[in-house]
Amino acid sequence: MNESELVSTARAIVAPGKGILAADESTATIKKRFDKIGVESTEENRRAYRDLLFTTEGVEEFVSGVILFDETIRQSTSDGVPFPKVLADKGIIPGLDGLRERLAEYRDLGARFAKWRATYTITDELPSQYTIDVNADALARYAALCQEADIVPIVEPEVLMDGTHTIERASDVTAAVLVAVFHALYEQRCSYEGLLLKPNMVLPGYDSPKQVSDEEIAEASVRCYRWVVPAAVPGIVFLSGGQSDEQATARLNAMNRMGPHPWELSFSYGRALQAAAQQAWKGDPSNRDAAQRAFYHRAKMNSLARFGKYSPDMERAA
């Protein structure tokens, strides 16, 4: 394991003003998103869509890394340039969702970081301690394998938003999950400095009668992470979950306004970065420029949120 390379890659991914584009939708997931815009989910349409995202001029100002699906890391632009090279030439670090058996192959294809996800449902009784412990062990074993292969692991324990739970219940569960995860990472002798955490924000359930403000979500989230996330971890890169584009940006902004923090607070958004671009594109090559402008705008808004300088007024002015 080359620890210095892991550390430098982890820090580059959470560089100030930048975050991650999660473009790792499975074939089934991208089909659902294409269905919404009336586009057939063929391999060529998926390739063309990823092409427009990755070649958006100037997006490297705001995006440090891209999480790719297995299909995508093997694809190229229309003129034959492999996507990992397109990204690397822009200074964007390619990464993968899911690997294990093929770590060496993925590294040869250009991947320098990877992501593995575990999910937790909240009810009055769930998640069970058994679920918390088993998921923590799996995440830690994955992280150890990645670091052994000189790939930075992004560890994603996602406490789901589905349900009627309060923000207080979400905070308790998130803290319990993260305590177990970091204990397991320690037991696996993982380098905290050479990994990143991709957690949920601390939110009330979708159907909770007690919804709260963005500022309350930011306060609950930061308080929870300060309890349990070691300061040695370079960065926390949030998933957007079921939040709207603007909610995900505004809440990240509110957290960064509370800084400084022991770690960088960044983003690793999929739908929250791509939804506007998909709606603008709709599978029509003539809409490519409009889709790229929409993607660039969302990336820029989240870059500003990294500094606590985002305002909803910027959406209306765009």
Side-chain angles (χ1 to χ4, degrees):
M1 177 176 71
N2 185 337
E3 187 166 354
S4 63
E5 183 178 342
L6 290 172
V7 172
S8 63
T9 299
R11 292 196 175 280
I13 292 169
V14 291
K18 296 187 178 184
I20 299 167
L21 166 64
D24 56 329
E25 300 89 354
S26 67
T27 304
T29 297
I30 197 71
K31 180 181 185 304
K32 292 177 184 176
R33 296 188 179 168
F34 278 11
D35 285 348
K36 292 180 179 178
I37 58 172
V39 175
E40 185 181 0
S41 184
T42 64
E43 183 178 355
E44 173 54 25
N45 281 343
R46 294 192 295 271
R47 189 209 62 77
Y49 172 62
R50 266 70 182 253
D51 187 320
L52 80 82
L53 291 178
F54 303 160
T55 60
T56 296
E57 185 175 353
V59 77
E60 62 272 17
E61 299 173 53
F62 318 123
V63 174
S64 56
V66 176
I67 307 174
L68 304 171
F69 187 56
D70 181 77
E71 174 186 77
T72 315
I73 200 171
R74 303 173 191 278
Q75 292 177 324
S76 303
T77 62
S78 56
D79 53 355
V81 183
F83 283 157
K85 179 170 173 38
V86 171
L87 295 170
D89 287 350
K90 293 166 87 62
I92 297 175
I93 303 168
L96 262 293
D97 176 27
L99 49 159
R100 290 204 164 172
E101 297 84 4
R102 293 184 287 183
L103 281 166
E105 179 192 4
Y106 283 140
R107 183 171 172 83
D108 288 344
L109 286 169
R112 291 297 177 266
F113 71 97
K115 185 208 69 159
W116 199 270
R117 176 174 178 250
T119 60
Y120 309 78
T121 298
I122 299 183
T123 68
D124 290 343
E125 296 81 24
L126 299 177
S128 66
Q129 190 60 50
Y130 176 78
T131 296
I132 290 173
D133 291 343
V134 168
N135 279 349
D137 183 63
L139 287 167
R141 288 177 182 274
Y142 137 79
L145 288 170
C146 284
Q147 291 190 338
E148 183 180 328
D150 293 330
I151 288 177
V152 171
I154 295 182
V155 179
E156 183 179 6
E158 180 181 4
V159 176
L160 299 171
M161 292 173 59
D162 306 274
T164 59
H165 55 272
T166 64
I167 194 171
E168 292 81 10
R169 173 69 175 151
S171 179
D172 290 345
V173 171
T174 301
V177 164
L178 293 179
V179 165
V181 166
F182 280 102
H183 176 72
L185 289 167
Y186 177 81
E187 291 293 314
Q188 290 291 328
R189 295 179 169 82
C190 292
S191 164
Y192 290 166
E193 292 87 349
L195 62 83
L196 297 171
L197 178 68
K198 180 174 178 176
N200 52 283
M201 296 182 192
V202 176
L203 303 162
Y206 282 132
D207 300 319
S208 174
K210 188 180 177 185
Q211 296 297 317
V212 299
S213 68
D214 293 345
E215 288 69 27
E216 289 172 286
I217 287 167
E219 289 168 5
S221 298
V222 169
R223 183 169 60 248
C224 178
Y225 310 134
R226 282 183 176 270
W227 287 341
V228 295
V229 179
V233 174
I236 298 173
V237 294
F238 293 103
L239 58 92
S240 54
Q243 302 174 83
S244 71
D245 303 2
E246 293 185 24
Q247 283 176 330
T249 305
R251 291 163 180 173
L252 176 63
N253 185 75
M255 282 187 276
N256 277 307
R257 285 178 61 85
M258 296 169 61
H261 303 296
W263 354 256
E264 297 287 341
L265 296 184
S266 187
F267 56 91
S268 179
Y269 294 163
R271 188 203 48 73
L273 277 177
Q274 297 181 55
Q278 289 172 2
Q279 286 295 327
W281 177 56
K282 295 186 184 297
D284 186 341
S286 68
N287 292 333
R288 180 186 174 92
D289 288 349
Q292 288 186 328
R293 286 195 298 272
F295 174 51
Y296 181 91
H297 172 74
R298 286 259 50 87
K300 182 177 181 180
M301 294 300 98
N302 283 288
S303 173
L304 290 169
R306 287 281 327 265
F307 298 109
K309 294 182 177 179
Y310 166 80
S311 167
D313 292 340
M314 297 171 178
E315 305 285 0
R316 291 185 284 275

